[in-house]
Amino acid sequence: MFKLVLMYNHVQKKLQEKATLPDDKAQNAKCIALLEHEFRNTEIEIYELNRELEKIQAKYQKSISAGELALYLETELPEDERPSKEFIAMLHYRAKSGIEKYGKAAQLQCELKLKAQQQLQELIKKELERFK
């Protein structure tokens, strides 16, 4: 027991001495490099999520337009000028499936991912300021 106490005290003493600690500047440089790398990665992720959100919104608008076109073809055109019922049904199907796939839920999911990446980037920025 006595030897254990001596070893423990020796380790504690060495931990408290500045001379035995690793070089803080080197450790800080490693931390800064890591944080800068993560910051760049989040910038790329934010850019990609913005593009994905724009694509989802554009496809959603196309689906709504297809639905409006199908409705127009079905109701506004005279009977002899209307395209086939199969074509109109296909437009309705494409509009419905596009609205379901690229609707508000898909947009919200992408927006949440985007906000999470933006908050992560802010956190990384604060940590970078702390190390500099």
Side-chain angles (χ1 to χ4, degrees):
M1 278 305 249
F2 181 69
K3 286 184 180 181
L4 283 175
V5 170
L6 287 176
M7 285 188 278
Y8 177 77
N9 287 337
H10 176 72
V11 170
Q12 290 299 319
K13 182 179 173 184
K14 292 294 182 183
L15 287 175
Q16 291 175 355
E17 292 177 3
K18 287 271 187 189
T20 60
L21 293 176
D23 185 33
D24 283 342
K25 288 184 180 182
Q27 290 297 318
N28 282 350
K30 286 181 183 179
C31 291
I32 289 171
L34 172 76
L35 289 169
E36 287 173 345
H37 177 74
E38 289 298 318
F39 189 81
R40 284 189 300 273
N41 285 346
T42 57
E43 280 182 331
I44 292 168
E45 190 71 26
I46 288 170
Y47 175 76
E48 289 173 352
L49 286 169
N50 275 323
R51 286 188 58 196
E52 182 180 342
L53 182 59
E54 288 172 3
K55 287 178 184 178
I56 290 171
Q57 289 171 340
K59 289 179 180 180
Y60 179 70
Q61 285 302 318
K62 284 181 184 178
S63 299
I64 289 174
S65 297
E68 290 174 1
L69 176 63
L71 188 61
Y72 172 78
L73 293 174
E74 198 171 44
T75 60
E76 299 294 323
L77 285 180
E79 191 72 35
D80 58 333
E81 293 180 17
R82 288 185 189 164
S84 68
K85 291 186 186 246
E86 292 83 18
F87 179 74
I88 294 174
M90 187 262 314
L91 278 178
H92 276 298
Y93 173 76
R94 290 187 75 186
K96 183 180 176 185
S97 64
I99 289 171
E100 288 177 10
K101 186 174 181 180
Y102 303 111
K104 298 296 180 185
Q107 293 175 32
L108 179 63
Q109 183 181 22
C110 191
E111 288 171 355
L112 288 174
K113 288 178 185 177
L114 181 61
K115 287 178 183 177
Q117 286 298 319
Q118 289 169 340
Q119 288 179 348
L120 177 61
Q121 190 177 41
E122 288 298 317
L123 181 65
I124 291 171
K125 194 183 293 185
K126 287 178 186 176
E127 287 298 312
L128 265 172
E129 290 172 4
R130 187 171 67 93
F131 277 102
K132 287 185 176 183

